[in-house]
Amino acid sequence: MISIIVPVYNVQAFLPVCLDSIRSQDFQDIEIILVDDGSTDESSDICRRYAEEDPRIRYFRQPNGGLSNARNTGISLAKGEYLCFIDSDDLVTPDYCSTLLRLLELRPDCNFSMCGVYRFDDGTDPNGFSPVCETIIEMNHQELLQKEVNRQLEFGVCNRLFKRQVFDQLFFKEGKIFEDVLFAIAQAQSLSGSVVVSNSPKYLYRKRANSIVSNNAKKCSPDWFYMAEKMMAYCRNSGVQQEDYLYYSLSYPWSFVDGIYLNKKQEESELLLNRMKDFILNYQDQIDQSSVFSATEKSRMRVFARGNYVTNVQMRLTWCRFLRIIGRDPYVNNKYSI
């Protein structure tokens, strides 16, 4: 049996479509575990109604504890030999479960299987993807993390089918966002064996404006550097080359820094900025020696970490305005290093 764990929190507009896609699986030996994480909208009523209609659905409500807590609750309740996770605003194709199970049957020594993900904008057709010629590859967990860091594969757990025993060793870190990256790091550290991956898209990911993943306030969370330190510790302990991991850890939050200063948001972003300064100072030698950051970026990071970044931003903004006055776009090919 496959246990499908669905954390639910204030998704009344999307939940019925999600649950209908799960109920339509061509593999029927499933249980659907709905973990209501303290919803305050109509999601609870929708869960109860579906549970009354379908005996495969088990509904549990708990005080709000966050996504990781809800997933861990689902794991503790699951009865299946296999476990998977579906976010309650997404959908899956009818052969989602059967495809992932087929992959594990083809490669029985693997800890979990993965399928492709199709991203669609909210309000557009979730089935608008073109068929692909399926390719299947196998890799170990360290290779998987490397491909995720390099953005060749996606971080996440919702496009995967896990053997139950994986969760004898692992759980989701509660109280932190970026839980999928933390889980991937834990996999690379803790699991031997391998993973089987198909590129065929069976998980349909809805891109919506106010989700946790798309919310810039969440993206700028200091939790990013909790995750980044875990990633760099993994590099030190496993002996893997650090450059790609350093770039992943720093390039994304760094992209928010200018906007924070230009919009005078330093005070409300103080914890994030302080964590970033500490991270840069801790890894200054590696940053200076890396080939993934430009000389301009390295210089700005040094200025930022030593506390003079307001002046730096103001000088660059003045230069940017001057270039625009004389009719030269400062952002074309980043020619002027603004």
Side-chain angles (χ1 to χ4, degrees):
M1 183 169 67
I2 295 176
S3 297
I4 303 173
I5 298 168
V6 185
V8 176
Y9 183 72
N10 289 355
V11 284
Q12 62 182 25
F14 311 108
L15 185 56
V17 178
C18 172
L19 296 180
D20 288 342
S21 76
I22 298 172
R23 294 172 71 192
S24 299
Q25 292 299 294
D26 57 18
F27 181 80
Q28 292 294 303
D29 189 15
I30 60 175
E31 65 168 355
I32 305 166
I33 301 173
L34 305 181
V35 182
D36 180 358
D37 195 39
S39 294
T40 57
D41 66 356
E42 299 300 317
S43 298
S44 303
D45 293 336
I46 295 170
C47 288
R48 292 189 188 96
R49 185 172 74 247
Y50 272 79
E52 290 170 359
E53 294 174 357
D54 192 329
R56 298 174 300 174
I57 296 177
R58 301 162 61 199
Y59 170 62
F60 300 88
R61 181 174 172 84
Q62 65 177 29
N64 180 253
L67 177 59
S68 291
N69 178 262
R71 285 176 176 171
N72 288 335
T73 296
I75 292 167
S76 69
L77 297 168
K79 300 177 180 178
E81 180 184 358
Y82 303 97
L83 277 66
C84 64
F85 304 87
I86 297 175
D87 287 346
S88 50
D89 51 355
D90 296 335
L91 298 84
V92 289
T93 62
D95 58 345
Y96 165 78
C97 285
S98 58
T99 298
L100 290 170
L101 184 59
R102 171 177 59 85
L103 293 170
L104 280 178
E105 290 172 342
L106 284 171
R107 309 290 174 89
D109 293 332
C110 291
N111 293 308
F112 61 85
S113 57
M114 294 175 56
C115 65
V117 177
Y118 175 69
R119 293 173 173 263
F120 68 97
D121 291 319
D122 187 22
T124 63
D125 181 9
N127 296 299
F129 58 91
S130 301
V132 300
C133 181
E134 186 179 34
T135 59
I136 297 172
I137 58 175
E138 186 174 337
M139 65 190 75
N140 64 40
H141 294 279
Q142 294 74 31
E143 292 168 334
L144 173 60
L145 180 59
Q146 181 71 54
K147 288 183 179 295
E148 291 169 327
V149 165
N150 290 337
R151 295 178 172 85
Q152 296 169 290
L153 291 172
E154 298 201 31
F155 282 109
V157 297
C158 291
N159 62 330
R160 310 180 184 195
L161 182 66
F162 296 88
K163 290 181 177 176
R164 181 68 178 81
Q165 56 264 34
V166 167
F167 297 98
D168 293 340
Q169 302 180 55
L170 300 177
F171 61 92
F172 292 96
K173 179 67 177 177
E174 299 184 13
K176 300 290 182 184
I177 57 175
F178 313 113
E179 59 282 318
D180 287 345
V181 183
L182 291 170
F183 190 76
I185 296 168
Q187 286 173 180
Q189 291 174 323
S190 303
L191 296 180
S192 57
S194 56
V195 180
V196 57
V197 182
S198 166
N199 66 328
S200 184
K202 304 299 178 184
Y203 191 87
L204 312 180
Y205 177 94
R206 186 191 304 273
K207 295 187 290 183
R208 59 188 184 98
N210 62 341
S211 68
I212 290 177
V213 173
S214 63
N215 188 321
N216 280 349
K218 297 291 186 182
K219 287 179 179 179
C220 285
S221 166
D223 282 357
W224 180 276
F225 288 99
Y226 176 87
M227 176 274 293
E229 287 291 357
K230 293 290 185 183
M231 185 167 283
M232 298 308 294
Y234 161 75
C235 291
R236 292 192 298 273
N237 295 334
S238 61
V240 302
Q241 207 278 336
Q242 291 190 11
E243 192 164 72
D244 292 337
Y245 294 85
L246 181 64
Y247 184 76
Y248 183 89
S249 297
L250 189 52
S251 62
Y252 189 72
W254 176 249
S255 69
F256 289 97
V257 171
D258 277 5
I260 291 172
Y261 280 90
L262 289 172
N263 294 303
K264 299 181 179 179
K265 301 290 186 182
Q266 299 99 299
E267 189 170 321
E268 65 185 63
S269 304
E270 182 179 7
L271 184 55
L272 170 73
L273 296 173
N274 287 340
R275 293 276 177 86
M276 199 180 316
K277 289 174 182 177
D278 290 343
F279 187 88
I280 291 171
L281 290 172
N282 287 342
Y283 295 97
Q284 188 71 70
D285 289 343
Q286 292 93 320
I287 293 169
D288 289 342
Q289 295 166 18
S290 75
S291 61
V292 293
F293 295 109
S294 69
T296 300
E297 287 174 316
K298 293 174 185 178
S299 175
R300 288 181 191 163
M301 287 178 187
R302 283 193 293 272
V303 172
F304 166 77
R306 286 159 176 77
N308 301 312
Y309 204 67
V310 174
T311 302
N312 182 281
V313 172
Q314 289 171 343
M315 290 175 62
R316 287 189 288 115
L317 183 60
T318 301
W319 179 236
C320 176
R321 287 169 176 162
F322 170 73
L323 290 172
R324 284 182 172 160
I325 288 171
I326 64 174
R328 297 164 72 181
D329 186 346
Y331 287 102
V332 172
N333 298 324
N334 200 27
K335 183 176 178 181
Y336 304 105
S337 297
I338 300 300

